[in-house]
Amino acid sequence: MAQADISIKPTELQGGHGHPDKWKWYDYFTFNVDHKVIGIQYLVTSFLFYLVGGFMAVLMRTELATPNSDFLSPELYNAFLTNHGTIMIFLWIVPAAIGGFGNFLIPLMIGARDMAFPKLNAIAFWLNPPAGAVLAASFFLGGGAQSGWTSYPPLSEITANLPQTLWCVALIMVGTSSILGSVNFLVTIWKMRVPSMAWDQMPLFCWAMVATSVLALFATPVLAAAMVLLLFDINFGTSFFKPDAGGNVVVYQHLFWFYSHPAVYLMILPIFGIMSEVIPVHARKPIFGYKAIAYSSLTICLVGLFVWVHHMFTSGTAPWMRIFFTISTLIVAVPTGIKIFSWVATLWGGKIRYTTAMLFAVGLLSMFVFGGLSGVTLGAAPFDIHVHDTYYVVGHFHYVLYGGSVFGIYSGIYHWFPKITGRMLNEPLGKVHFVLTFIGTILTFTPMHNLGMQGMPRRVAMYDPQFAHLNQLVTVGAYILAVSVIPFYFNVIWSWMKGKEAGPNPWNAMTMEWTTDSPPIIENWEVLPVLTHGPYAYGMERSDEVGPAGEPLPASRS
Amino acid sequence: MKQIPAPFWTLVLGIVVTLVSLWVGQNHNLLPEQASEQAPLVDDLFNVMMTIGTALFIVVQGAIVYSLIRFRQPKGDETDGLPIEGNLPLEAFWTAIPAVIVVGLGLYSVVVFQEMGGFSPGGHHGHGAMVAMAPQQSVIDIAPLVAQAAAADEDIFSKTQVYGFGASPLVQMNQPDVTVNVTGMQFAWIFRYPDTGITDGELHIPVGKDVQLKIEAQDVIHSFWVPQFRLKQDALPGEPGELRFVATREGTYPVVCAELCGSYHGAMRTQVIVHSPKDYADWVASRVAEATPTTTVAQPAETATDAEYLAGIAPDLAKSPVQIAQMTSMSH
Ligand code: HEM
Ligand SMILES: [Cu+2]
Ligand SMILES: [Cu+2]
């Protein structure tokens, strides 16, 4: 049956015979248009930026170990604060989760040979290193941007103008990159699935990327607009946001959060996608509630566009807005809850393998329950007014970003590393990494909630001495987190060179990326695969299936 | 064990989880003391969320941990689990329950918001002649500035939308007992009492009285927060804000700036002193008696919390008010 399928067209490899079917190391430093190369480029650069952002976090926490600003000057603290937030979001999570995993996996998961617009894809990636360079320059020219990753005017207009300008430019560049990437993902998923794959047979990661891309397309231009207006205010004498010249400071906040609230879903939706791939494989069960998970991504995308004002409850917000946005914010908890329950139900009755990928996935689940619940409390305007702009918020969003996005990226790396590199990561080292990360995350970010409720505002280099003890605890946690990355980076570098050979499908997974070599050959498959079973057919009878080259897939084991 | 039916265990677990959650919701001790009429309203809302949250947390984490133990791969068993792909009633159930909870919380929030006075900031409460002493550009020639500032206050508060919390529905019609104009500037709070002409770097208010703060910023955005009052309102340049509340407990509480406002944002702290009515009257009387333009100007640095501590770490702050005014005007 498979043989007759129209999707089988034994295309010649791009290079023809005699050419290498693997890339060489120096290909990764070029304007390469292969989606796998671009995916790896994104991943590697973002992991480098992760170290930079993490280094800044450790310096900040060292400062905060004591109430006085005795380690960093307050200006330097604010510069680290601003760049830590900016790097972690725009140069770590977004490029790793969307650019890295998205580019590497999407064509492989839908049976395509590349993205729809390979050159555009390369351009999107190559906007990132210069953006990073501009941001770095902003740090060394004039002391760094000082006004936080939100850069509210008028503060951003009166502090350190040159670095603030560069900061805006860097953001416009990564924003452009993200728009180009999104168009590419949408067209690729829409047009390039193997003919045998219907929408509802797509892996859930693809659904997540659809939702992510739609969101990025709606929201990112607004960020770019805010940045351009801010740039003009700073450099060309306009007064969009200058109160003493007729401007309005709150308008900026609306523009900024119209992008930046959805941006948190941009960061988490691909991670949700990763979760939906990792958990079924290692629990050996079909994902529970495929449709519910797919549609809840779209719901989050839609509702996520109407909640931004919950960042502005204490700002210039009319009463009706506080009410409307309280309700819409709380509603986001419903689709998120659906996902969490579905993953737990996927575990239920499974045969769970304790791989590191699975540990991080389950760790994420557990973190997300906490971060999600504290998020609900923040949605309720009367309580948010008390804790807004305090460490409660810092604790909450790190639970979601560290316990959520970072755990998800780790989980994805442990899961797909064999596919990406052809080699396995070392599992015992991975477990050390997991334990340190798990403990470190809880220790670092839980006490922050207490601090905030008790009265410690955020973004401070110095604080009331009554908060010293809890802050020391947090700082110890941060050091544990800093140590936790050592086994990981070591593991990745060492295993990439010397790790155990993985073979095409070490986890016995069922999505399409596992039907080709590890690492995949240059055009992904010699003969495009044919879909004979859904992406999560664990435990089901699959006698008729045929692999890429006509061999049967590993027998179903039920 | 085997003889006892599952529904029984579910019931027992349900009761235990409920009791634990109710207890946690009431005894978490996470919030600081309550010192305003709004505080108990906010805390009750939080306690309800804490109760629900604890229950959900225990149930979901419990299910995760239980699965991890109960459904781990048996040694040598390479088969798959049961292929259960979905269960419509179950999915409908766990969509409906959170939906009901969040809608309920949403409505409850609206009620609290209403009782806190969230729907009525910026009512046109007239107030007495204003003779505030503004620590503006210079202390030498203050009279025109005072007039200007008063006119500007009047103007801005009667024409624009005002944000924040106004009178609670109970006192909607009443004039506030005390009105204070609050100005945030890098890196100090200035409190001006239009009825008496007092200007201070600390907020003094009487207990049990209806207090109205009119909040504005001079340079950048600041945020006025008293954790014990559970109230916060950004001080926005050019956009007036209001907080109206009744302090319910005498004492001294921190006033915190919660919005990043520059390098010494963390040091922008002062305090609110809630007096007994008599002490408050004495304070007003003493301040009015000594009132001359030069001495009524705020001394934010000297009166700030932990003054020595601040002076040690942020010597820049220990400047005279004149310098502060100049500093802020320069930064424009
Ligand atoms: C080792 C782990 C980390 C530690 C110890 C850490 C610590 C901190 C600290 C101390 C702050 C400043 C809080 C304040 O003063 O308000 C901060 C802010 C922030 N962090 Fe992290 N962080 C970590 C990881 C991350 C990650 C992985 C992200 C991911 C996206 C992230 C995103 C942010 C953001 C967006 C801010 C806000 C910056 C701002 O207020 O402008 N952090 N973090
Ligand atoms: Cu301030
Ligand atoms: Cu501040």
Side-chain angles (χ1 to χ4, degrees):
Chain A
M1 153 228 158
Q3 264 25 20
D5 195 288
I6 48 153
S7 70
I8 302 234
K9 29 183 164 95
T11 9
E12 279 284 300
L13 286 185
Q14 205 171 38
H17 195 69
H19 283 257
D21 60 356
K22 300 266 149 75
W23 298 109
K24 293 272 181 302
W25 65 269
Y26 45 79
D27 291 315
Y28 292 89
F29 294 88
T30 61
F31 190 83
N32 195 308
V33 294
D34 181 348
H35 73 99
K36 299 184 292 300
V37 173
I38 295 175
I40 293 171
Q41 286 173 328
Y42 267 116
L43 281 172
V44 172
T45 30
S46 65
F47 268 99
L48 290 176
F49 278 115
Y50 180 44
L51 288 184
V52 179
F55 178 67
M56 293 181 171
V58 168
L59 291 183
M60 282 194 285
R61 279 320 314 178
T62 307
E63 163 63 62
L64 293 172
T66 58
N68 296 353
S69 85
D70 39 17
F71 176 67
L72 303 171
S73 73
E75 287 84 6
L76 200 54
Y77 181 88
N78 285 354
F80 277 130
L81 165 76
T82 305
N83 286 281
H84 163 76
T86 311
I87 288 175
M88 285 300 195
I89 289 181
F90 294 105
L91 293 166
W92 153 238
I93 295 215
V94 170
I98 306 182
F101 286 103
N103 275 303
F104 194 91
L105 293 174
I106 289 290
L108 285 169
M109 281 184 166
I110 61 175
R113 295 203 183 276
D114 206 327
M115 297 284 281
F117 311 113
K119 287 219 177 79
L120 197 70
N121 207 15
I123 294 173
F125 168 74
W126 281 105
L127 279 167
N128 282 274
V134 170
L135 199 67
S138 85
F139 198 86
F140 292 106
L141 299 175
Q146 300 267 320
S147 46
W149 86 283
T150 50
S151 283
Y152 282 3
L155 185 65
S156 51
E157 299 185 346
I158 66 169
T159 48
N161 282 348
L162 175 62
Q164 191 69 48
T165 303
L166 294 173
W167 183 88
C168 294
V169 171
L171 250 64
I172 292 175
M173 290 167 90
V174 292
T176 311
S177 159
S178 140
I179 293 176
L180 299 182
S182 303
V183 174
N184 218 340
F185 285 128
L186 281 180
V187 177
T188 306
I189 295 174
W190 200 278
K191 289 286 176 200
M192 299 183 57
R193 277 168 291 135
V194 280
S196 47
M197 182 186 279
W199 279 99
D200 63 359
Q201 291 164 327
M202 250 172 21
L204 284 165
F205 181 76
C206 304
W207 276 107
M209 289 306 296
V210 170
T212 308
S213 308
V214 170
L215 206 51
L217 282 183
F218 274 107
T220 319
V222 180
L223 175 78
M227 290 302 122
V228 170
L229 298 185
L230 190 59
L231 260 177
F232 271 62
D233 263 16
I234 293 175
N235 295 297
F236 306 117
T238 56
S239 54
F240 296 105
F241 309 126
K242 282 182 198 148
D244 41 7
N248 185 323
V249 295
V250 181
V251 169
Y252 174 87
Q253 300 181 10
H254 281 290
L255 294 175
F256 180 83
W257 287 114
F258 185 82
Y259 166 78
S260 291
H261 190 80
V264 310
Y265 303 114
L266 289 185
M267 290 176 253
I268 205 66
L269 279 170
I271 302 297
F272 286 168
I274 291 175
M275 290 288 281
S276 302
E277 301 305 324
V278 171
I279 290 182
V281 176
H282 300 267
R284 312 306 305 168
K285 270 191 63 198
I287 189 95
F288 188 96
Y290 174 95
K291 286 216 168 91
I293 294 184
Y295 295 157
S296 65
S297 288
L298 300 180
T299 316
I300 290 177
C301 157
L302 194 74
V303 184
L305 283 167
F306 294 96
V307 303
W308 78 92
V309 173
H310 67 217
H311 294 274
M312 301 167 60
F313 282 152
T314 67
S315 175
T317 315
W320 71 266
M321 276 196 186
R322 298 189 186 182
I323 296 311
F324 174 82
F325 286 97
T326 288
I327 309 257
S328 61
T329 302
L330 292 174
I331 286 176
V332 181
V334 176
T336 313
I338 292 177
K339 283 183 194 286
I340 293 193
F341 296 139
S342 300
W343 293 325
V344 176
T346 308
L347 295 177
W348 197 273
K351 303 234 164 124
I352 299 172
R353 268 73 166 161
Y354 283 87
T355 54
T356 311
M358 188 62 161
L359 289 178
F360 272 107
V362 175
L364 187 158
L365 256 186
S366 145
M367 295 286 167
F368 217 82
V369 174
F370 190 90
L373 290 171
S374 65
V376 169
T377 64
L378 287 172
F383 178 70
D384 174 74
I385 284 164
H386 174 53
V387 291
H388 175 70
D389 265 334
T390 71
Y391 262 81
Y392 188 91
V393 172
V394 181
H396 157 72
F397 73 69
H398 281 91
Y399 249 88
V400 179
L401 289 175
Y402 207 104
S405 299
V406 178
F407 272 55
I409 290 173
Y410 282 148
S411 174
I413 293 289
Y414 282 97
H415 184 70
W416 279 293
F417 190 84
K419 181 51 59 184
I420 296 174
T421 66
R423 294 176 187 273
M424 304 298 285
L425 279 169
N426 178 287
E427 279 288 320
L429 257 183
K431 280 166 188 154
V432 173
H433 173 216
F434 170 74
V435 170
L436 286 174
T437 313
F438 193 73
I439 296 173
T441 308
I442 292 178
L443 193 58
T444 311
F445 301 118
T446 318
M448 288 186 175
H449 295 83
N450 305 49
L451 283 169
M453 276 188 272
Q454 291 294 328
M456 181 163 162
R458 68 191 275 203
R459 296 171 162 177
V460 293
M462 45 205 134
Y463 54 85
D464 197 307
Q466 74 179 87
F467 302 125
H469 288 301
L470 281 176
N471 270 299
Q472 276 154 12
L473 208 61
V474 172
T475 300
V476 171
Y479 289 159
I480 296 181
L481 280 179
V483 172
S484 78
V485 300
I486 297 172
F488 177 70
Y489 279 75
F490 175 78
N491 197 350
V492 165
I493 295 169
W494 186 81
S495 301
W496 205 324
M497 298 184 306
K498 298 223 148 62
K500 199 171 91 204
E501 298 272 347
N505 193 357
W507 312 121
N508 266 315
M510 301 211 179
T511 38
M512 241 177 214
E513 76 271 23
W514 300 102
T515 61
T516 180
D517 291 357
S518 305
I521 56 175
I522 281 176
E523 292 234 302
N524 295 350
W525 289 274
E526 284 177 29
V527 176
L528 280 182
V530 176
L531 195 76
T532 52
H533 55 75
Y536 311 107
Y538 300 99
M540 293 176 201
E541 214 45 64
R542 286 171 293 115
S543 47
D544 62 335
E545 15 169 68
V546 176
E551 315 129 30
L553 285 176
S556 91
R557 287 148 290 113
S558 44
Chain B
M1 289 289 251
K2 272 272 179 274
Q3 307 87 302
I4 304 171
F8 174 79
W9 284 115
T10 319
L11 188 68
V12 172
L13 270 180
I15 293 173
V16 172
V17 170
T18 312
L19 290 177
V20 170
S21 311
L22 283 172
W23 188 86
V24 172
Q26 298 302 319
N27 297 283
H28 52 72
N29 284 329
L30 288 171
L31 291 158
E33 59 186 320
Q34 305 171 335
S36 79
E37 274 183 357
Q38 275 91 348
L41 300 171
V42 175
D43 291 7
D44 287 349
L45 171 64
F46 179 70
N47 291 348
V48 168
M49 294 194 292
M50 190 76 188
T51 308
I52 299 173
T54 308
L56 286 173
F57 184 81
I58 297 177
V59 169
V60 181
Q61 299 285 23
I64 295 172
V65 173
Y66 178 81
S67 325
L68 284 186
I69 297 167
R70 172 76 179 68
F71 302 115
R72 58 185 306 172
Q73 172 193 27
K75 263 224 151 37
D77 179 354
E78 289 295 325
T79 62
D80 290 352
L82 277 184
I84 312 161
E85 290 196 68
N87 179 337
L88 207 56
L90 186 60
E91 290 171 56
F93 174 78
W94 72 40
T95 309
I97 296 290
V100 170
I101 292 178
V102 298
V103 169
L105 281 179
L107 295 177
Y108 184 15
S109 303
V110 175
V111 172
V112 170
F113 188 69
Q114 145 99 358
E115 284 180 44
M116 289 172 77
F119 285 112
S120 56
H124 303 287
H125 332 278
H127 32 73
M130 300 227 244
V131 278
M133 308 295 171
Q136 298 280 343
Q137 308 303 321
S138 142
V139 285
I140 314 295
D141 186 16
I142 204 164
L145 287 167
V146 169
Q148 228 177 48
D153 276 1
E154 198 59 71
D155 205 42
I156 201 161
F157 273 89
S158 53
K159 288 205 189 108
T160 346
Q161 159 105 52
V162 176
Y163 304 109
F165 289 94
S168 76
L170 293 177
V171 292
Q172 197 94 63
M173 292 298 116
N174 303 353
Q175 295 289 313
D177 298 318
V178 180
T179 295
V180 188
N181 294 332
V182 181
T183 306
M185 56 162 77
Q186 287 173 322
F187 298 96
W189 294 106
I190 306 296
F191 301 97
R192 290 180 291 132
Y193 294 71
D195 298 335
T196 51
I198 299 171
T199 299
D200 206 315
E202 290 177 336
L203 178 59
H204 293 256
I205 52 169
V207 73
K209 289 282 174 2
D210 186 7
V211 177
Q212 182 191 38
L213 305 182
K214 297 183 162 186
I215 301 172
E216 260 221 285
Q218 200 182 59
D219 36 36
V220 300
I221 304 175
H222 305 267
S223 187
F224 180 93
W225 180 35
V226 178
Q228 284 74 5
F229 292 174
R230 311 286 188 275
L231 285 175
K232 184 183 287 135
Q233 173 59 42
D234 288 4
L236 300 156
E239 306 263 332
E242 172 179 346
L243 285 180
R244 195 160 158 179
F245 60 92
V246 176
T248 51
R249 178 198 274 261
E250 289 171 41
T252 303
Y253 309 104
V255 172
V256 183
C257 174
E259 178 65 56
L260 178 61
C261 56
S263 45
Y264 287 90
H265 159 57
M268 184 166 162
R269 281 176 259 150
T270 181
Q271 48 199 19
V272 48
I273 297 138
V274 181
H275 293 281
S276 69
K278 176 168 178 318
D279 284 354
Y280 179 72
D282 290 350
W283 176 79
V284 171
S286 72
R287 291 305 304 268
V288 170
E290 74 187 38
T292 64
T294 36
T295 52
T296 51
V297 165
Q299 305 273 318
E302 267 98 329
T303 50
T305 337
D306 301 319
E308 302 92 335
Y309 151 70
L310 269 189
I313 53 160
D316 280 5
L317 276 182
K319 289 190 169 137
S320 78
V322 185
Q323 279 171 302
I324 288 188
Q326 282 162 350
M327 247 163 59
T328 42
S329 63
M330 263 156 43
S331 65
H332 275 281

